[in-house]
Amino acid sequence: MLTTKVGLHIPVGLAFEEWERAGRQLSGLLNSSSWWLGDWLVYGKDHYADRYERGIRAAGLQYQTLRNYAWVSRRFELRRRRPALSFQHHAELASLPVGEQETWLDRAERMKWTTKQLRNAIRAQREGTPQATVEATTRRLAVPDNRLKWWHKAAAQSGTELADWVMDTLDAAAAQVLKEAERQLPLE
């Protein structure tokens, strides 16, 4: 693959595994670049206060976006950042006190939560929903690669994301089995 300022040139016939690997690499770069820009801004503000605005204009990025990057970078010293979690995970926690940040980072890392799952867990705690309910939504299932590829293909064919396709398919199967079981119950 070839990256340019305006796009990504993808070779014809690229294998799924290569496409998937490229996505992980691009995602890692995007996540890292948020930290890099945030640290760059913090340094600039601390060392070039009189020329800081000029530096921001030179970057050519949205002021509010850069400001958010800097804010999250300030809230998480380099040694407290979790490589296993995205910049967005940290951004979700940036407004919390340090102790709470660490607690949530530990949970998110241990449970392998997405940003959305982290946000939902925080909301559930604030609303008083039991933690077991939140953790139950993060169960993992080992799936052989050949089945995963097959399911990806089926999900793509139906125009849905894999996770949605899996949930819909399992819900339909469960409904069918329970319906059949209900029909077989003896009448009293």
Side-chain angles (χ1 to χ4, degrees):
M1 284 192 224
L2 176 65
T3 58
T4 70
K5 282 187 172 187
V6 295
L8 184 66
H9 292 275
I10 302 172
V12 176
L14 184 70
F16 174 79
E17 293 77 15
E18 293 174 31
W19 173 81
E20 186 178 40
R21 183 175 46 254
R24 279 194 304 273
Q25 290 171 337
L26 291 168
S27 176
L29 287 172
L30 180 62
N31 184 56
S32 296
S33 69
S34 300
W35 287 119
W36 299 335
L37 284 165
D39 292 341
W40 174 75
L41 288 161
V42 169
Y43 183 91
K45 182 80 167 172
D46 292 347
H47 292 86
Y48 311 114
D50 56 330
R51 296 175 283 176
Y52 179 69
E53 296 294 327
R54 192 173 101 198
I56 288 177
R57 281 192 305 276
L61 297 169
Q62 293 290 325
Y63 176 77
Q64 189 59 48
T65 300
L66 291 173
R67 190 173 160 173
N68 290 343
Y69 292 165
W71 181 67
V72 174
S73 291
R74 277 193 195 281
R75 297 288 294 153
F76 289 94
E77 301 162 7
L78 198 55
R79 64 179 172 75
R80 293 186 48 237
R81 298 175 189 174
R82 308 289 177 92
L85 299 174
S86 71
F87 180 86
Q88 281 308 121
H89 282 91
H90 292 79
E92 287 292 328
L93 304 171
S95 64
L96 300 175
V98 171
E100 286 183 51
Q101 289 174 352
E102 290 300 316
T103 298
W104 285 110
L105 288 170
D106 288 342
R107 286 180 190 162
E109 200 168 19
R110 185 178 66 251
M111 301 297 293
K112 295 179 175 33
W113 281 339
T114 63
T115 305
K116 183 178 179 182
Q117 288 170 320
L118 173 60
R119 187 180 314 122
N120 290 341
I122 294 167
R123 184 180 305 121
Q125 186 180 53
R126 286 183 183 146
E127 294 171 357
T129 305
Q131 186 65 26
T133 304
V134 175
E135 290 180 8
T137 64
T138 61
R139 300 275 189 237
R140 300 280 182 220
L141 177 64
V143 177
D145 281 346
N146 62 339
R147 283 209 178 129
L148 192 57
K149 289 175 189 174
W150 196 39
W151 295 350
H152 266 288
K153 188 175 181 179
Q157 191 71 33
S158 65
T160 61
E161 293 292 323
L162 177 64
D164 294 333
W165 182 86
V166 168
M167 292 293 283
D168 292 344
T169 302
L170 289 175
D171 284 344
Q176 182 66 31
V177 167
L178 294 174
K179 190 178 191 179
E180 290 293 323
E182 208 173 88
R183 280 191 211 143
Q184 294 175 5
L185 287 177
L187 296 175
E188 295 178 23

